Structures are given as structure tokens and as C-alpha cells.
Amino acid sequence: MTTESGISRGESAYEPVIGMECHAELLTASKMFCSCENRFGGEPNTRCCPVCLGLPGALPAVNRMAVEHVIRTAIALNCSIESEAHFDRKNYYYPDLPKGYQISQYGKPIGSGGWLDFEVEGKPKRVHIRRVHLEEDTGKLIHFAGDSQRSFVDFNRSGVPLMEIVTEFPPDLHSADEARAYLTELRAVLTFLGVCDGKMEEGSLRCEPNVSVRLRNAETYGAKTEIKNLNSFRAVERGIAFEAGRQATLLETGGVVRQETRGWDEGRAATFSQRSKEVEQEYRYFPEPDLPPLRLDEPWLERIRATMPELPSSLRNRCLTEYGLSAYDARLISESRATAQWFEAAAAVGGDAKLVVNWMMGDLARLVNAAGASLDQCPVTPQRLGELVTLVSSGAITGKIAKAVLDEMYATGEPPAAIVEARGWRTERDPAAIRGLVEQACNANPEIVADITLRGLTQKRGFLIGQVMKASGGKADPGEVNRLLDELLARATGA
Amino acid sequence: MLQNHRDDFLNVPISDLRSRVVSGELTVTALVQGYLGRIQTSDAEVRAFLAVTEDRALASAADADRRIASGEPLGPLTGAVIALKDNLCVEGVVTTAGSRILERYIPPYTATVVTRLQSAGAIVIGKTNLDEFAMGSSTEHSAFGPTRNPWDLERVPGGSSGGSAAACAAAMCSGALGSDTGGSIRQPAAFCGVVGLKPTYGRVSRSGLIAFASSLDQIGPFGHDVRDCAELLQTIAGHDPLDSTSSTMPVPEYAESCGTSVAGLRIGLPVEFFGDGISPTCAAAAREAAAALQSMGARVEECSLPATAWGLSAYYVIAPAEASSNLARFDGIRYGLRVSGSGHIGLMEATRGTGFGAEVQQRIMAGTWCLSSGYYDQYYRRAQQVRTLIRGDFDVAFERFDVLLSPTTPTTAFRFGDCADPLQMKLGDVCTLPANLAGICAISIPAGLVDGLPAGVQLMARAFDEEMLFRVGSAYEQVRGALQPPRVGASAEWMAA
Ligand SMILES: [Zn+2]
């Protein structure tokens, strides 16, 4: 068995070559070829009709919204777009495939020959896209533990519109980091376009990387393996790193890489052989006779172009110029449309965009993650976070108090101002009151005062400030505390 | 009263039946009972029906009689009693496609054509026999046994819609629906002496038709005369959102074309349809039909459709290729027959191996081969190119001619077992399948008897010009005159009933 060696430490003679095949479930009201509702989960086989069950005599009818979503994506990925959408049948047998074939696009994908630009560790990167096409999802086999005699099939997902995005060959990606960055940017683009919710854990965005390695600067490509069952960004990154390392070590020790499909075991953090793919599967593609070509005429394309939403790259630019954020923050904000919209709504109220990001990505993210929720399910609305940030930046409450206010907001959904008033948490600014607390802290810690005044250990001021803040319940205005402490220490030095 | 007059059932146009039931001369119930009685006395011999939906038909008839009595509005097909080829799905009624694999399959939805017939007032009387999954030219390849020709019980009725043609010929219904992939309506219509129409591809929705070859299949009517076919097409034609290949072109008033003059029309006789392999008697019957039309003022000339020579080869690549894919869904997982085997794939293999008959298995194998990656270009793509050439031939011919006329079949109905050579059997479709490859419309009309058996004359017209077929076809019926009924149709038991 091999370990994560070689590639990731950068000492190998081999470099990884990574192609990405991503499947995105499209956000449409109905399925690809029938009017059944398109929704995740649910009681098995409750969203099925003769068409998506492939009953004899049932015929498909194309969902135009799904086609539009693919066109939108193709435009965003700089692809050229076919003037007609053609459909083909991909024939194979599996119990979850009700018609014995999948309707897909083989000969002529809707989009082809595009690219996606993004940054990896501050450096620009371009990945070429070979094709963007439309197909239908299959059903799902369900096995119950202890029942090896039977399998069950759920066809709720059968006929759900899927978009496949395939990178160009030879691949442009050469590390797990790059692959992850590509996937991150792709997900951002898809969610900004509103064509996919990007939820990897629910399978609405699935990624199957093809990994091979070759000697650095070599022209030839080794045998590639395809990794399945990757349902998080982390798994994609770790899976690719492991697989590239495994292949390099194998080659370095005189082994041979077999072309195969490999699964990802999250627990063992390792890939494992699923099935050998030495014989290419025979899909017997041919044009789908039940669907005439769909004309993608110029007026339709023009309407779609005219309604293209802002893309993540543009938002990132605005984050730098309009909001004055760092490149790092800009990237965080633009990871998905939900995050971006949340941020912009909060910043519109909160004023200080940098502070808004800090609160969003810091304390709020901590609360949301702890609840196992996502931002769109968060009880704190962007407006409320904006209000909280305003309270902090105006000095009405201290940063320390604000954390407590946020906890309350998350728990109760109350507006921050109401919480502050009810708890009497406004900042204490009265010099007399603060002077009293400062004096109390100094009197209680004469040796610290001496360290500072006699031995010049000024870093110990922090301790005294902490004592004052603690005594004020976190409400004392930090500026005033500092000023009065300086005054007192100066007097002590002079004395 | 009714049953004493044979003509009340046979050769009575649907429009006459309608006026008789509307006027109260005849109840719909009596009409349905008449057909049921006819089935009872004749179908033991003919075996046209796989299922007779007696209870449903009588209930529909009672409802129709109630509507008539209370003066409620009536559909245009009130009084029409229709048999359906058993590859058309009807909710709640076993639909087998002539195959063991669907022996007990009950569809949860109804084919669009059937819904349209019913809303127009027609009553469905039963499901008729067919070659398994509509693959065949004799109705010998049904898993449930052959149907016999009402003209000669030792002969085949033609296929694959042999059950519908025979039911119609033996007057067990006022009309029937079939499906035509390479001649499966017209060839049995010719063998059984009834009118059979293959509409233009896309004219009629295929939703609910168990597919054989999607790009060739088209549902069409059988009738006792051309006008009946026009009336049935009127009801079933038109766009259906459930079938993306169905046309949005408006549906003309077809019956109005019946009986209009053919003077000045240009009729072409494609020489390829009169040459080698076509029996001289069938060719002569077609030439006589042309002469009859000429006597009514039409201009008749010979022409050539050279690419049709390759039609048979192209057809026997495209149809099995599409069939191999269309039939992949019969895997034993969700419905129909299931035969257990080892694992998922074993179960599918056992189910398909047991459930499909030899003819179907052979075509699935051939189709799978034609689509496989090493042979796709050599077979499937080539066949599609031939198809384009055939379309081109028709386009050229239709610049000169309003309609093309030919024999429907190379021979009259053959005896059971006489066509043991599968290639010989397939040659039976040689005159009909070019129309399917080109997607145009075509009709077969009885052209009298040849040696005591019906022969058919085929008319072919431009895509969506069914009106031309009805116009020329009904004119020909006028000069041809009435036909005698088949042996079974004239049988003594029935006369006495
Ligand atoms: Zn559905």
C-alpha cells in the first residue's frame, strides 16, 4: 500500500494530470422530459410518471428551462453554442435506468470549446472546457443491510435534468489545489447563474476527476483512473492528491497503473479499486428519434444573454474596488451566490464592508456551522447583521459585547438594538465611572503596576485593561479605558 | 332487426352509422351487441382479437344511448365501434404488444389516439392480434398464435396489424387502428380487402404506442372505405404535447376531399414498383386502377424512384437498430414478465431470453450489431444516407406528380408456412416501406380480387397531403364499385344470427 507521497511534497519526477467531469443537477421546476416535480429526496417513487419510468409508449418532451440553463452556463464559460440542440441515446443496461438508455447529447453538445479563468494562490489560471451538455439522471438503487436477496429502486431522480461539464484534453490541471480551485470557481459560476444549487453533499453537484501522472515535461500520458463518490471539496482535493501520489509511487517502484474506476474511502482517506475499465463500455450512441432537434435561434440566445446575472469574477472586482476588501475576503464572498447576496444585503445596512465580512466569516459562520445549517437557513438576517455592525462601528457597543449580542440574535431572532437596550449593554463612557474601575484594578495589582512603571514591562498593560473590561462586564469604552490607565500609570511613575 | 341485414355492419360508412343511431333507428347498444355477436360467431376461426372489452364497450354504449335520449351533444364518431391493435395502451386494459414479456401488463395511461377516439364518441370493442412488437408481415409471430385471413382461413392476414385488418374485413368492428412501420397497415389491408392508411410521419401522435422503430412508426386507421379512414384520421390527427415529433400543422377537413374530381391530376407509376419480384397479377390490378382513374380524367405516366431499390436494406438496418434500443426497457425490473437469474444482469438476461420470441430476438441482435461502435458508420449512418436519397427521389417525383400509384404488395395473401424464407417474407414490404423511410403518407385500397383473393392498390402523396389520397382513393372506389364480402364475413352462422 502506498501513502500520500511524492507529488504533494514536490519531490517526485512525476506530475499529475487531472481532467474534471462535473455533473450539475439543474434548478428547474420540472424534470427533463416530463412534468414531474424536480426536487431532492422525498418518499421513494412518489415523483414518477410514465415518461420518467420509461413505460411502454411514453415519449419525452424537452424542458426548455433546462436547455436555457445549459446555454447560460455555456455563455458564462465562453463556449461556442450550437444552433440546434440534438439529443442522442446512450444505451446500457442497469436496473436504475428505466428505458435501457439515457437521453444525452453525444455528437453535438450545446456548448463547446470554452474556458474558465480563476486564481490559484494569487496566480491566474485558465482551464479549457471541452463541452457542456444536457442529459437526464437515472434512478437510484437502494440496498438494505441484511437483505442481500433484494434491491429496491427509487425513480424520483430518474429524468432530473443534469448538465455535464467536461474539461479539455490535454488537461490544464496539474495539482489537487488547482483542481479544487477549479471546482470552487465552477460552483460559484453555477450558483451565480442560478442553474444549480451547488450542494455537493446532496449530490446536486458531483465531480469525477480523471487522474493520471506523467514524467514532468513529458509529451505522453499514462493510464488514467476515475475517482467516484466524492461528495465534498475536501474529498475531491484529498482524493486527487492521494491518487496522484499512489500512481507516482507505483511507477517509481516499477509498477503499472491500470485504467480503472476507483472509489474514495473517506475514513481511510484512500482510493480503492472498483472495477477495471480496460474494455471501453459500448454505449451504441445514436440520434434520439423521439426528439426532433430544438432550434436555439438568435432571438432566444439574445434574450438569455440580456438576462445573464453578474458572475463571480465581476463581484470579486467590485469587492476590491467598491467595498475595499482584501483579495482573500473577496474570494470568500464570491464562493456562491447565496454568500454573495447575503454579504451585499448586510453591507448595504452595515456600512463598513470589512467589518461585515469579519462578522460573517467569523462569529456568524461559527454559529451556523455549529448548528449544522447553511447561511440561507440562518435566523440572523443580513439586515440584522448590518445593524449589529453599525452598533459596533458607531461605538454604541464594544466588540466583546457584540459577540454576546450575536449569540442572543442567533438564539432569539431579536434585533440587536432591542437586545442591547434590554440588557443595558451600551458602552460605558462616563470618565468618573471608568476612572473608578481603573483605580480599582491598579490598587488590586500593585506588583503589575510596579512592573510597568519601574521595570518598563509595558506589555503588562493588557492585563490591567482586561481587569477593567471584566469589571465593567465588557461595556467600558476601550479608548477611554486606555486614556485613563495611561493617566494613572503616568502619575504612578511620576510619584 | 339489424342483424338480419348484413349491410348494416359491412360497408356501412361510419357517417351512416352515426345518422342511424342519432335518428333512433338503431341504438348504440344494439350496434355494439351486433359486433359482439359477430365476434362470437367468427373470431373462433379468425382469431383477430386478443381481448374483447365487452363490459367497457357495453357501458360506453349505454352512456351514448343515454346522451342521445337526453339530447346531449354528440361527437363525430358516435356509432363508430373500433378495434385497437394491441400495441396501443389503454389504461386498465391488458396491453401485450403480442409478446409474452407483456402478457399481464396493464398500462396506467391511455394512448392519445384512443383518448381522442373516445372523446369523439367512438367505442373501443377490443384489442387485436399483431406480430410480436409489430415485427413481421404475417401476424404469425404473435406469442398468442396467428390470426387467419377471413377470405381464406388457410392464409395469413398480413402483418403486423393483421388482427385489426382481419377484424375490420370480417365486420367485427366499424373500423380499427393499427401501426405502420414498413407497411404494417397497408400490407394487411391489401391481404384482407379493406382500406388502410399510413398517415404522414408526425400527423398522428405516437404517445401510448408501444414503439417498434420510433422514426418510422405511425398510427393509422383501417376502414371499410376511404371516407371511413378520412373520418378516423380527422379525429386522431393533430399535435400532441406528449409527442414532440407530432406536427403542429393544422388538420384539414378530410371528408371534404372525398368525392372531389380527379380530372387533371397527375398520377405517376414508379417502374420499380412494377418490376422484378412483383407478381404480374398484382401489377395488373394496379395498372387497371390507374386506367380507371385515367378514365376519370387523371393523367397517368410512368416514373422512376431509383433509390427505392436500396430501401429494403436501409429499412432492415434502421428499424432493428431503433427497435434494439426501444425494447431495452423490457428488463423484468418494473413490470411485465420477470424470470429470476443470477444478479441484476442475470435477471434481465433470463427475462428477455424467455419473454421475447425468436423474430424479436433476431432483430434486437441485428440492431445491436448495426449500432455498435465498429459498425455504426458502415450500417446505421449508411442507411440514413440511403434514406435521404429516397426522400430526394420522392421530392423529385412529387414535382411532376400529385400522387404515385403502385401495387401495395408483390403478391396476394400467402398460405401459412408458405413464406418460410425470412428474406422472401421481408420482400413483401418492398412496395410499402419507401413511404415510411421518406415519412410521406400512403394508403392501400382494395383493387378487387385476384384468383379469389384481395389485391391492394397503393397511393402515395406528399407529406401532409392526405387530402390527395382521400380524393384519388374515393374516386377510384367509385369506378371500382362495391366489393363482395369475405368468406367468413358471408358465413351462414352469421347470416342466420
Ligand atoms: Zn415524470
Side-chain angles (χ1 to χ4, degrees):
Chain A
M1 209 48 237
T2 58
T3 57
E4 267 183 72
S5 68
I7 302 302
S8 48
R9 294 206 301 271
E11 58 200 34
S12 171
Y14 293 92
E15 86 174 329
V17 184
I18 303 149
M20 299 281 267
E21 285 177 20
C22 295
H23 281 99
E25 273 183 14
L26 294 173
L27 284 171
T28 55
S30 56
K31 291 186 182 180
M32 187 60 231
F33 298 114
C34 64
S35 51
C36 291
E37 194 189 355
N38 175 19
R39 188 157 49 81
F40 175 76
E43 185 81 4
N45 299 313
T46 51
R47 291 194 299 277
C48 300
C49 72
V51 175
C52 57
L53 283 177
L55 294 190
L59 298 169
V62 173
N63 181 338
R64 285 173 69 91
M65 183 50 84
V67 175
E68 276 193 20
H69 279 353
V70 176
I71 294 172
R72 223 167 255 131
T73 307
I75 293 171
L77 296 177
N78 309 291
C79 290
S80 48
I81 295 168
E82 284 292 333
S83 56
E84 282 185 336
H86 290 254
F87 295 91
D88 300 282
R89 288 188 187 176
K90 179 180 181 179
N91 296 280
Y92 64 97
Y93 286 98
Y94 204 70
D96 69 4
L97 187 68
K99 297 190 289 293
Y101 57 84
Q102 189 182 16
I103 303 177
S104 180
Q105 295 189 294
Y106 176 66
K108 283 185 174 182
I110 289 176
S112 57
W115 70 85
L116 179 62
D117 287 334
F118 54 96
E119 282 186 1
V120 189
E121 285 167 5
K123 287 197 219 97
K125 175 82 191 172
R126 171 167 291 188
V127 168
H128 291 87
I129 307 288
R130 171 181 280 196
R131 54 187 289 147
V132 181
H133 76 247
L134 190 52
E135 62 187 32
E136 57 176 337
D137 207 345
T138 64
K140 184 171 81 175
L141 280 188
I142 301 168
H143 309 277
F144 291 106
D147 187 352
S148 62
Q149 292 305 300
R150 295 183 298 174
S151 302
F152 298 82
V153 203
D154 176 8
F155 290 104
N156 278 354
R157 224 168 62 181
S158 169
V160 162
L162 277 187
M163 175 167 60
E164 185 170 357
I165 301 154
V166 183
T167 58
E168 191 52 275
F169 189 87
D172 301 307
L173 295 166
H174 295 286
S175 73
D177 287 347
E178 287 185 355
R180 182 186 176 128
Y182 164 76
L183 189 59
T184 306
E185 182 68 7
L186 182 65
R187 177 179 182 270
V189 168
L190 299 181
T191 62
F192 271 59
L193 292 172
V195 302
C196 175
D197 65 19
K199 290 178 182 167
M200 290 196 77
E201 67 288 357
E202 288 184 5
S204 52
L205 181 62
R206 320 202 270 271
C207 165
E208 283 158 14
N210 289 305
V211 180
S212 66
V213 297
R214 63 172 176 185
L215 283 169
R216 284 188 195 279
N217 306 319
E219 295 283 312
T220 54
Y221 295 86
K224 65 183 179 189
T225 61
E226 188 178 290
I227 318 177
K228 299 249 181 206
N229 309 333
L230 299 169
N231 62 359
S232 70
F233 283 90
R234 199 172 120 85
V236 169
E237 189 176 354
R238 294 204 303 163
I240 291 173
F242 175 88
E243 187 53 23
R246 185 189 72 89
Q247 292 184 17
T249 308
L250 203 55
L251 294 175
E252 277 160 2
T253 56
V256 176
V257 176
R258 278 199 313 151
Q259 181 164 328
E260 61 183 353
T261 300
R262 296 181 69 84
W264 171 246
D265 184 331
E266 188 73 48
R268 287 172 46 231
T271 64
F272 59 94
S273 180
Q274 271 187 329
R275 62 188 148 89
S276 166
K277 224 183 165 185
E278 270 148 18
V279 181
E280 200 58 39
Q281 172 84 34
E282 170 68 79
Y283 288 122
R284 306 192 314 280
Y285 284 101
F286 76 107
E288 165 58 276
D290 287 330
L291 289 172
L294 183 65
R295 275 195 58 69
L296 312 181
D297 54 21
E298 202 41 49
W300 191 15
L301 297 183
E302 205 37 66
R303 265 201 315 282
I304 295 169
R305 280 192 204 100
T307 55
M308 286 286 283
E310 180 178 37
L311 292 176
S313 52
S314 158
L315 175 77
R316 274 197 298 271
N317 266 330
R318 281 200 301 116
C319 280
L320 302 178
T321 56
E322 198 176 303
Y323 293 114
L325 298 183
S326 67
Y328 176 81
D329 285 343
R331 212 168 65 234
L332 286 181
I333 291 306
S334 61
E335 266 183 10
S336 78
R337 179 161 81 166
T339 312
Q341 285 179 336
W342 214 100
F343 161 75
E344 293 216 77
V349 176
D352 187 336
K354 177 67 196 163
L355 265 181
V356 168
V357 174
N358 288 349
W359 281 96
M360 238 180 107
M361 296 301 170
D363 292 82
L364 186 61
R366 176 177 50 78
L367 290 168
V368 169
N369 291 341
S374 66
L375 211 51
D376 48 338
Q377 301 158 318
C378 173
V380 177
T381 63
Q383 284 71 18
R384 293 276 156 82
L385 185 77
E387 289 163 23
L388 179 68
V389 169
T390 308
L391 287 176
V392 178
S393 55
S394 69
I397 57 172
T398 65
K400 191 173 166 61
I401 287 293
K403 282 178 198 274
V405 175
L406 186 65
D407 285 344
E408 287 270 299
M409 287 163 70
Y410 199 89
T412 65
E414 289 279 299
I419 294 168
V420 169
E421 292 319 318
R423 299 295 182 99
W425 276 350
R426 282 199 162 271
T427 301
E428 180 60 81
R429 284 220 177 71
D430 175 16
I434 296 175
R435 185 188 304 274
L437 294 174
V438 173
E439 281 171 352
Q440 203 182 315
C442 290
N443 293 341
N445 300 285
E447 64 289 2
I448 301 281
V449 173
D451 281 350
I452 298 166
T453 53
L454 303 178
R455 292 184 270 284
L457 296 174
T458 50
Q459 68 272 26
K460 295 212 172 178
R461 280 180 81 258
F463 176 80
L464 293 174
I465 290 171
Q467 293 297 306
V468 174
M469 294 308 285
K470 198 170 161 188
S472 75
K475 294 187 297 177
D477 177 17
E480 197 62 15
V481 173
N482 263 305
R483 194 180 64 77
L484 291 169
L485 181 62
D486 282 347
E487 217 179 275
L488 220 83
L489 290 174
R491 224 186 302 142
T493 311
Chain B
M1 170 204 89
L2 174 84
Q3 282 121 328
N4 294 331
H5 303 279
R6 187 181 62 213
D7 283 351
D8 283 346
F9 290 126
L10 199 59
N11 293 335
V12 169
I14 288 172
S15 52
D16 283 8
L17 289 175
R18 184 177 192 274
S19 48
R20 288 196 207 184
V21 296
V22 170
S23 69
E25 181 191 330
L26 178 67
T27 64
V28 180
T29 301
L31 188 59
V32 168
Q33 277 169 341
Y35 283 121
L36 289 171
R38 189 80 189 81
I39 292 170
Q40 207 165 31
T41 53
S42 298
D43 206 41
E45 288 179 302
V46 178
R47 306 184 61 155
F49 284 88
L50 291 177
V52 178
T53 49
E54 184 173 343
D55 293 349
R56 284 180 171 232
L58 287 171
S60 305
D63 187 54
D65 286 330
R66 185 193 54 74
R67 291 171 71 95
I68 293 166
S70 65
E72 285 175 43
L74 300 172
L77 289 182
T78 301
V81 180
I82 305 297
L84 301 173
K85 188 177 184 178
D86 200 28
N87 57 359
L88 290 164
C89 293
V90 180
E91 184 179 347
V93 175
V94 172
T95 300
T96 67
S99 182
R100 288 272 170 230
I101 213 161
L102 287 177
E103 196 168 354
R104 281 179 290 273
Y105 174 63
I106 300 174
Y109 76 110
T110 298
T112 298
V113 286
V114 179
T115 310
R116 288 186 177 176
L117 284 179
Q118 288 171 333
S119 353
I123 290 171
V124 171
I125 195 161
K127 308 294 289 292
T128 58
N129 200 12
L130 68 154
D131 286 307
E132 185 176 357
F133 285 105
M135 296 178 191
S137 308
S138 63
T139 314
E140 287 168 289
H141 299 295
S142 165
F144 308 108
T147 293
R148 296 170 183 278
N149 193 318
W151 288 84
D152 179 348
L153 296 172
E154 300 305 309
R155 290 176 190 269
V156 303
S160 61
S161 312
S164 286
C168 203
M172 298 190 269
C173 53
S174 15
L177 292 190
S179 66
D180 190 314
T181 307
S184 306
I185 289 175
R186 290 158 289 159
Q187 187 252 21
F191 280 10
C192 293
V194 293
V195 181
L197 169 74
K198 184 204 92 74
T200 306
Y201 186 78
R203 181 72 293 184
V204 176
S205 166
R206 291 181 293 117
S207 177
L209 168 70
I210 298 179
F212 164 12
S214 309
S215 75
L216 300 162
D217 295 343
Q218 188 63 185
I219 298 169
F222 288 94
H224 293 116
D225 63 12
V226 169
R227 181 181 283 268
D228 279 5
C229 283
E231 300 226 358
L232 290 173
L233 181 65
Q234 189 74 48
T235 295
I236 62 174
H239 179 67
D240 175 11
L242 297 177
D243 177 1
S244 308
T245 65
S246 66
S247 169
T248 53
M249 281 178 59
V251 179
E253 293 295 324
Y254 290 123
E256 286 177 8
S257 311
C258 297
T260 51
S261 165
V262 294
L265 289 184
R266 299 157 304 169
I267 297 174
L269 308 183
V271 292
E272 292 79 6
F273 291 60
F274 288 86
D276 285 350
I278 312 292
S279 82
T281 47
C282 284
R287 285 191 196 281
E288 277 170 35
L293 287 162
Q294 199 165 20
S295 72
M296 298 179 87
R299 302 204 313 257
V300 178
E301 254 181 80
E302 287 199 335
C303 67
S304 175
L305 299 167
T308 51
W310 305 320
L312 196 69
S313 314
Y315 177 83
Y316 278 100
V317 169
I318 293 169
E322 291 184 7
S324 72
S325 175
N326 283 333
L327 268 54
R329 71 191 64 202
F330 303 105
D331 56 9
I333 301 292
R334 284 146 295 135
Y335 49 80
L337 182 75
R338 172 182 292 183
V339 179
S340 56
S342 148
H344 303 139
I345 295 297
L347 182 148
M348 291 180 188
E349 281 172 356
T351 301
R352 293 168 65 80
T354 311
F356 289 138
E359 182 73 20
V360 171
Q361 292 196 20
Q362 193 185 76
R363 297 206 199 197
I364 290 173
M365 294 302 288
T368 303
W369 172 265
C370 293
L371 288 176
S372 58
S373 58
Y375 301 95
Y376 181 90
D377 288 328
Q378 200 175 333
Y379 293 104
Y380 189 79
R381 193 186 303 280
R382 252 298 157 83
Q384 292 291 12
Q385 286 164 348
V386 167
R387 194 171 181 174
T388 306
L389 292 178
I390 289 174
R391 278 203 193 107
D393 274 5
F394 278 110
D395 287 345
V396 170
F398 286 128
E399 281 172 18
R400 277 175 64 204
F401 299 104
D402 297 300
V403 70
L404 301 177
L405 185 152
S406 77
T408 307
T409 54
T411 65
T412 53
F414 44 87
R415 285 175 203 280
F416 285 100
D418 257 11
C419 224
D421 175 7
L423 184 64
Q424 187 62 40
M425 173 92 85
K426 284 167 181 146
L427 282 171
D429 294 332
V430 72
C431 297
T432 47
L433 55 84
N436 298 78
L437 288 167
I440 60 171
C441 54
I443 195 168
S444 176
I445 302 164
L449 299 184
V450 168
D451 301 329
L453 290 170
V457 58
Q458 175 178 235
L459 301 173
M460 293 170 277
R462 290 175 195 92
F464 297 101
D465 196 8
E466 282 82 359
E467 287 169 289
M468 183 60 70
L469 300 180
F470 297 139
R471 181 175 171 186
V472 177
S474 60
Y476 169 63
E477 280 178 338
Q478 281 173 37
V479 278
R480 182 204 62 200
L483 296 167
Q484 66 175 92
R487 190 177 81 78
V488 169
S491 66
E493 313 89 82
W494 181 59
M495 292 297 283

